[in-house]
Amino acid sequence: MEDHGEPEGSPGREIRIAVVALVAASGAVETISFTALDHVFAGVMTSNLALLGMAIGRAGGTGTVSALLALAGFGAGAGLVAWVTHGRTGFATHWPPRVMYCLIGEAALLAVGAGVWAASGGAPDGVTQDALQAGAAVAMGAQAAAMVAAGRAAAPTTYLTGTLATYIVHGVGRGRPDRWVPARLGALIAGAAAAMALRRAAPSWAGALPFVLVVAAVLTAIRPLRVRRSATDGQRA
């Protein structure tokens, strides 16, 4: 089924839970990236631009390459997903098939990264560290772009500053805050905390957490898509 047509309805519980799972995956990736991959973020490009500026201001190479790798990786991931999903209309009740394919691709990339991470014993360095850093940024760029392409059935999952500001404005100014926003904010903290705990208790397994969370999100989001397809097939019959 091609994802043409006008958005209608609103996202159900499964889609909202899937978004929360992706936010948790983002928190796990950011923890691993910042603590083990040269202190840059995989999905928060505002911070990486600031880190790049600081590195330039120090007139030293320390941090410059890391920030550039993260920025380039994020841009590549987002650009690829933008190309794959170009011209497709998002729905309000489910994620379009091409968005799902992009998230599956992200999960595959994270699985490869988890394998490399495990092979390094949870302590990558040199070229391996750079490759993991770039790969994590590609994954986060792909995830961010996929959520943009999903339209009203999604929400930001890799950067939540705007989400927090909107929640405060709507809560204070209009009295209609989104009750799922605290869940997403909590998921970011939980994902980061879980990744940090794994790094301490079982370093080699920490890299697998983002992969597991993205897979959980995809599996959760499949049902609304299947329901949509079944309804469309029933109308055609």
Side-chain angles (χ1 to χ4, degrees):
M1 181 189 72
E2 288 295 338
D3 38 308
H4 296 290
E6 294 296 322
E8 57 184 30
S10 60
R13 181 178 295 272
E14 292 95 342
I15 290 297
R16 295 184 185 277
I17 291 174
V19 170
V20 170
L22 288 181
V23 173
S26 175
V29 170
E30 298 296 7
T31 296
I32 293 171
S33 178
F34 190 79
T35 61
L37 304 179
D38 211 11
H39 295 89
V40 296
F41 296 98
V44 186
M45 294 304 108
T46 302
S47 296
N48 287 338
L49 288 169
L51 290 171
L52 178 60
M54 287 188 284
I56 294 172
R58 287 195 300 266
T62 303
T64 304
V65 173
S66 301
L68 288 174
L69 275 174
L71 288 164
F74 187 91
L80 179 59
V81 169
W83 177 73
V84 171
T85 60
H86 178 69
R88 302 299 170 182
T89 302
F91 294 93
T93 56
H94 62 281
W95 293 344
R98 294 199 183 194
V99 168
M100 298 292 287
Y101 298 149
C102 290
L103 292 175
I104 291 170
E106 179 197 358
L109 179 59
L110 290 173
V112 172
V116 174
W117 175 273
S120 71
D125 56 12
V127 176
T128 300
Q129 185 182 69
D130 290 342
L132 285 172
Q133 184 184 93
V138 170
M140 291 297 96
Q143 181 175 305
M147 291 297 94
V148 172
R152 290 196 295 149
T157 58
T158 60
Y159 52 93
L160 299 185
T161 303
T163 299
L164 179 58
T166 301
Y167 179 75
I168 293 172
V169 169
H170 284 182
V172 174
R174 303 180 187 177
R176 293 186 291 107
D178 182 352
R179 64 188 179 88
W180 284 93
V181 170
R184 295 200 293 272
L185 296 173
L188 186 68
I189 296 171
M196 198 69 223
L198 272 175
R199 282 208 66 206
R200 288 186 171 186
S204 296
W205 288 97
L209 180 59
F211 163 72
V212 170
L213 290 169
V214 172
V215 169
V218 170
L219 293 176
T220 303
I222 283 177
R223 184 176 178 275
L225 180 58
R226 286 178 175 173
V227 169
R228 174 78 179 189
R229 282 181 166 176
S230 297
T232 301
D233 292 342
Q235 291 174 358
R236 290 175 180 174

